[in-house]
Every structure is written in C-alpha cells, then in structure tokens.
Amino acid sequence: MSRFFSSAHSSLNAYVPGEQPKNCEYLKLNTNESPYPPSPSVFEVFDKFDTSSLRLYPDPECVDFTEALAEIYGLPKDRFIPANGSDEILQFAFNAFADPDNGVAFPDITYGLYTVCCSLYNFKQTLVPLDSDFRINPEDYRFNDRMIVFANPNAPTGISLSLDDVEKILKYNPDRVVLVDEAYVDFGGESAIKLIEKYDNLLVVMTFSKSRSLAGERVAFAVASPEIISDLEKIRYSFNPYNLSRISIAAGAASLRDREYFSECCKKIISTRAYTANELMSLDFEVLPSSANFIFAKHASLPGKALYEKLKERGVLVRHFSGERIKDYVRISIGTNEDMTRFISTVKAILSEANQ
Ligand SMILES: *Cc1c(COP(=O)(O)O)cnc(C)c1O
C-alpha cells in the first residue's frame, strides 16, 4: 500500500478472480465460461467492422444494443441499461440503492463481489445464512429497510429459486430495491423479467459472459422500472458514460438477435450437465441440483482442496472455495461433452489412486 491510499480503503479486500492461465495447457472448468464460440453473427460483426470508426467515441446511449434488448425481451427501451459486464452494474446498483443506514442484505454463500462492493463503499452488510440444503428461504428476507441482493440461480451452489419465492422477497421489501443477479438464468432458472411490470422495486441483472459466450467482450445489462433505470444512468454517466465500446455494442446486438444459436448452446450445456452430474453421483459424489452452467459437488471422502489440487496436477482447473460450509466442495464449469468425458476420466484416475 502506498502512503497515499485513502484510509477509507485500508481494510478493502478486493475480489479474487478465478485463475486465468496465460497458456492453454489446462482444461479450464473454473470460471464458468462457455465452451462454445460466440454466435456466428458476432464473427460477422468483427469481419465487417469499420476499424477507422474507432477514432470516434461510441454512442453513450448504446441505442443499437438497447433496441435489440427491447425487441428480444418485448419491453420498452427505457427499461434497460447497458453495462461493461454485470460486475459494473452491480457497482452502479450498490452505489445507487444501498441503504445509508442498513446497507445491503445477501446470502452468506454467494457471489464474492457483493461483499467487495459493500466493503468498497463502507456499506453495512447483512449475511443471511442459506438453509441446511444451501437454499435461499424467502422468509429470511423480511427486512424492508435495506437493499436485497441475490443470485438466481445462486453461485457457487447452482441452486435456483422459484419465481413464487422471488415474488415473496419482492413483497416483503416493497420500499427497497431487490436486485436479482441472473448471470446463470438461461441454463434452467426462471427469469424475474416476467415480474418487471408488476414490481417497481425489482432490478434484474443479466450478463453475456456465460450463456452468450462473450466473457471476453464485457457486455451486460439490467432491466427495471424506468425510474430505477434513470437512477442507474445517473451513476453510469458519473462513472463512465462510454462504458460500452463500439465493438461491444455491435457484438451484443448481433448476439441477442441470434436466438437459435443461443438456445442450442444452452441446451447442449444442460444436457452435458446432466451427464456430468450422473457420472459424479456414481463415483460417490454428492451433487447439488444445478440450474447453472456449473455443478457444485462433494466427494464422500476426498476433500475439496485435495481434489482441486490433484485435478490441477493433471491439467484440469476447477474452483475451490475455502469458506467453512463449502470447503469440501468443488465447483466445476460445464464444458463440451468431450471436456467432461476427460474430466470424469481424470476424476476416476484420482479416486483409484487414492484407494490404493
Ligand atoms: C460471472 C458472474 C457475474 C459477472 O459477470 P460479468 O458480466 O462477466 O461481469 C455476476 N454475477 C454472478 C453471480 C456471476 O457468476
């Protein structure tokens, strides 16, 4: 730390991303990227892109992108805000809607950035324990005096919450924003976008990083009432009015309009997830029911950290978290069928070696 760093940040613990090795020697199942390339229409955007246009700033309103969103989701344009990845929207939203006195409430086991956002802005955080099955219980969210944030499906558990339960949380907190982070919803969850016209406190955040194979492009958006969106726009224009590049705007719009490719990719992931979960269960793993593009699993005798390390030695990267309740698990991103066949045979080799 330099002697100039603000004392306000002296205890800031920044987010720690999953490993991003510079070479390709690993089978990378650790950061929930898609194993499939982006839509062919995104390739076309790059092929036809007018590089000389890069001397000009992009459209701060990202109209081409928000028009595509409006078309695909059947909602007016003023209900969407574009973002450079959903992490950026989370920053904007915490900044805009955290309660000055009571801060933000979210599950004790969830996406690590929520606690980082609180710590960055010195907001109070209420960690609401997941139940013994790692589920969110809506009855634990009767607050109405602080912002509520949860991922649905949750990470790293993969467990989804029904729309009825989401609705309960919205009803228990009519005077505060309820942010639903739907990074993984396309893999089997139910999107709260359906409720957007019914609840003026609902803010849904979505990313192109997982189901649209664009993690490297940084494209995301949020949906809410026009009033919430205009608050978020105020924050966006105060941080970075040109947050989406010309390329991101064009790639995002093209990806959205290729519905067929998108749903094909999601279907393949869902079917490979079922194969992987079944194989793991037959190898004595407990597998949480996943609605995401990853599974969270625990072996009967081999601890999570040991499994993570043994897999890494053999060229397979998964994610291990050291939190007390989840340290026996590993989180495995779903790759192609071939990826997961290789993963399963590597696990078999590790287990048979451990049994010798
Ligand atoms: C991956 C992930 C994000 C971040 O996605 P980006 O759009 O790439 O910033 C947000 N929330 C959850 C729960 C995630 O898993």
Side-chain angles (χ1 to χ4, degrees):
M1 199 194 303
S2 79
R3 62 199 164 89
F4 310 107
F5 198 42
S6 165
S7 59
H9 297 315
S10 56
S11 59
L12 180 61
N13 285 315
Y15 181 72
V16 183
E19 297 160 87
Q20 301 292 359
K22 298 289 177 288
N23 49 43
C24 292
E25 67 187 83
Y26 288 104
L27 171 57
K28 209 171 162 301
L29 305 177
N30 68 330
T31 51
N32 301 340
E33 291 137 327
S34 173
Y36 301 111
S39 152
S41 53
V42 174
F43 282 81
E44 208 174 304
V45 164
F46 277 79
D47 289 344
K48 293 190 178 152
F49 191 77
D50 172 15
T51 305
S52 65
S53 73
L54 289 180
R55 84 192 165 77
L56 299 170
Y57 280 106
D59 168 19
E61 292 178 29
C62 308
V63 169
D64 290 347
F65 180 56
T66 51
E67 270 175 359
L69 287 169
E71 183 185 312
I72 297 302
Y73 288 98
L75 289 165
K77 245 176 22 198
D78 64 357
R79 284 185 171 270
F80 297 94
I81 177 172
N84 188 307
S86 55
D87 289 344
E88 188 185 55
I89 280 278
L90 292 170
Q91 292 289 351
F92 294 166
F94 276 66
N95 200 298
F97 304 118
D99 186 86
D101 300 315
N102 301 312
V104 187
F106 47 87
D108 62 338
I109 297 167
T110 191
Y111 185 41
L113 196 79
Y114 308 152
T115 188
V116 173
C117 287
C118 282
S119 144
L120 180 61
Y121 299 116
N122 289 310
F123 294 137
K124 243 197 230 169
Q125 46 180 318
T126 310
L127 299 181
V128 184
L130 295 179
D131 74 11
S132 54
D133 294 328
F134 293 110
R135 290 182 181 275
I136 290 173
N137 180 355
E139 302 309 316
D140 298 335
Y141 290 81
R142 292 175 179 263
F143 290 107
N144 204 25
D145 63 354
R146 63 203 68 188
M147 182 186 181
I148 309 289
V149 177
F150 58 92
N152 187 28
N154 197 10
T157 61
I159 296 176
S160 64
L161 191 65
S162 73
L163 221 46
D164 284 349
D165 283 347
V166 172
E167 205 163 355
K168 280 187 196 161
I169 296 177
L170 286 160
K171 283 182 181 155
Y172 294 153
N173 298 276
D175 301 317
R176 289 295 182 278
V177 166
V178 175
L179 185 159
V180 187
D181 180 346
E182 296 192 347
Y184 301 107
V185 78
D186 302 317
F187 303 106
E190 268 182 291
S191 176
I193 288 191
K194 283 187 201 131
L195 303 174
I196 211 81
E197 281 166 315
K198 203 165 159 195
Y199 295 94
D200 70 350
N201 58 331
L202 171 60
L203 170 59
V204 179
V205 176
M206 291 213 180
T207 177
F208 285 39
S209 296
K210 277 84 189 215
S211 56
R212 293 188 183 273
S213 311
L214 284 172
E217 190 52 53
R218 316 304 300 135
V219 187
F221 67 96
V223 198
S225 72
E227 292 74 24
I228 285 186
I229 294 300
S230 111
D231 295 343
L232 287 169
E233 287 290 10
K234 225 178 234 179
I235 305 285
R236 178 169 80 97
Y237 277 83
S238 310
F239 267 99
N240 183 8
Y242 301 109
N243 59 338
L244 259 71
S245 72
R246 285 176 170 270
I247 297 175
S248 294
I249 293 170
S255 159
L256 271 170
R257 292 198 167 104
D258 191 351
R259 300 185 202 219
E260 203 173 313
Y261 180 81
F262 165 71
S263 83
E264 252 174 56
C265 288
C266 294
K267 273 189 210 147
K268 282 195 276 190
I269 299 276
I270 291 168
S271 117
T272 311
R273 177 180 75 205
Y275 156 79
T276 311
N278 283 332
E279 290 289 315
L280 286 175
M281 287 188 275
S282 73
L283 295 171
D284 246 350
F285 278 83
E286 180 198 317
V287 179
L288 300 191
S290 171
S291 303
N293 68 339
F294 57 83
I295 48 189
F296 205 47
K298 168 173 105 165
H299 188 256
S301 55
L302 192 60
K305 183 140 192 283
L307 178 57
Y308 158 80
E309 282 164 356
K310 287 174 191 291
L311 283 165
K312 190 170 177 183
E313 281 165 21
R314 289 166 173 80
V316 180
L317 273 186
V318 296
R319 189 106 198 242
H320 174 256
F321 299 91
S322 54
E324 195 46 43
R325 285 182 76 188
I326 54 173
K327 64 179 180 355
D328 291 337
Y329 290 77
V330 291
R331 190 192 68 189
I332 306 138
S333 308
I334 302 298
T336 61
N337 275 328
E338 299 77 67
D339 292 341
M340 301 324 281
T341 309
R342 178 176 155 201
F343 166 75
I344 293 294
S345 65
T346 310
V347 170
K348 282 181 180 162
I350 290 168
L351 293 177
S352 72
E353 193 185 86
N355 285 333
Q356 270 163 20

